[in-house]
Amino acid sequence: MTIELATNKPVVSLLADASTRLEEALKYVTVSEDALCRLKHPKASLSVSIPVRMDDGSLRVFQGYRVRYDDTRGPGKGGVRFHPNVSLDEVQSLAFWMTFKCALLNLPFGGAKGGITLNPKELSRHELERLSRGYIDAIADFIGPDIDILAPDVYTNAMIMGWMMDQYSIIKRKVCPAVVTGKPLMMGGSQGRESATALGAFYSIQTILPKFDQVPGNTTVAVQGFGNVGGILAELLAKAGYKVVAVSDSQGGMYREKGLDIPTIRRYKQDHQSLTNFYCQDTVCSIDEHAAISNEELLTLDVDVLIPAALENQITAANAEQIQAKYIFEVANGPTTSAADQILAQKGIQVFPDILVNAGGVTVSYFEWVQNRSGLYWSAIEVQERLRQKMVEETEATWQICQELRTSIRTAAYVHAINRLGEALDAKGTRDYYVNGKH
């Protein structure tokens, strides 16, 4: 069986690969035709025009989207991205992806996503605020704490989420913090949200590696992507005793066989916004002790653990043969193509999928939503412990399925998610129930 989206346009490669992996998972599950049929179609899609008065007095109209793919397990949940490539097809695809991620983590959410087509770097902060509030003006009837909850994504942040929550509250004439997660703390945000994706990945890694007798002191790590998520994760691993030997950002990276001083590198990156010229401008490290490497070279290093935490489609059929790592933990969305998966499997490389490893962000978003609705707020320690319990529990459950079915951990993750989605969808009635069932 194949799950194909009902669209007249080609879907983005990210979803095409996701669909390929779903096909493999469907071999191991019993799911009704009714459930598969419903997963082919988004629950609701909205396209809006957003007029914005620019700082120079001119008027520009931006195109915005919001898709709620499935809400069988609860209200839609998904980010809002500001990017030139945003389209209805992309947003629909990402909402489809979120549907499975929320099911895998057993969160009471469906999948949703939103976005606006623009280059946010071309707008002033005042223009970004007017755009963000205009977006909410346009979609206010389509979202809500019990309908669809927004969150930050590509080129959106806590400040933008705060503007959106405030605008929704103005429209509804009451304070509605639960309509948006990833907000500033003083507006109802959650402790630990900024580091949630990295910390969730850390807990997953700590759960898995001991199963292969990999102890921190003897485990080398390379991290591609040294932004908020990759940088925090690299530091967490270094503090736990792992030897982080390579890191990179969009401009390039660095390698040191004996291990890198991650805290110092993070401070440099925060001050300079790039790792470029780290060696010749900073006095804590010598150029003789480190080697400058490219993102492409980092991927093929001889390390135990490779962590792609940057962009999608980094490990492909073109470079998969050169990958030497024993274990790959996907922190970015879709960093490994399905064609590369096959090559990596033949090489005996274990790949731990993004829908599990990077799910810490949406999990703590769920915690924020719960706190907003209850009015009871948790400490950072409480949030971290709840996140640890959730990530360890679902990582262990996925690993158990992998062992029982003797399949890849990626396929096991999709099996786990499909089982939960199928049960929820079938609870509303199936063909077999209506034709053959008893009252």
Side-chain angles (χ1 to χ4, degrees), residues 41 56 62 131 166 168 196 206 225 234 237 270 324 358 377 395 399 434:
H41 305 274
D56 64 3
F62 297 87
L131 175 67
D166 183 59
Y168 184 83
Q206 287 280 73
L237 290 168
Q270 290 165 357
Q324 300 185 69
N358 73 12
Y377 288 83
T395 298
W399 176 255
Y434 291 111

Side-chain angles (χ1 to χ4, degrees), residues 49-62 82 116 118 122-138 159-160 163-164 167:
S49 296
I50 310 163
V52 176
R53 184 67 61 186
M54 309 303 285
D55 290 345
D56 64 3
S58 64
L59 184 71
R60 284 183 63 182
V61 178
F62 297 87
F82 290 178
I116 303 174
L118 81 151
E122 297 176 350
L123 274 63
S124 72
R125 292 184 178 182
H126 290 95
E127 289 166 342
L128 282 172
E129 179 178 2
R130 290 193 285 271
L131 175 67
S132 301
R133 292 181 182 274
Y135 178 65
I136 297 301
D137 286 341
M159 178 66 77
I160 291 173
W163 290 333
M164 290 184 176
Q167 190 63 24

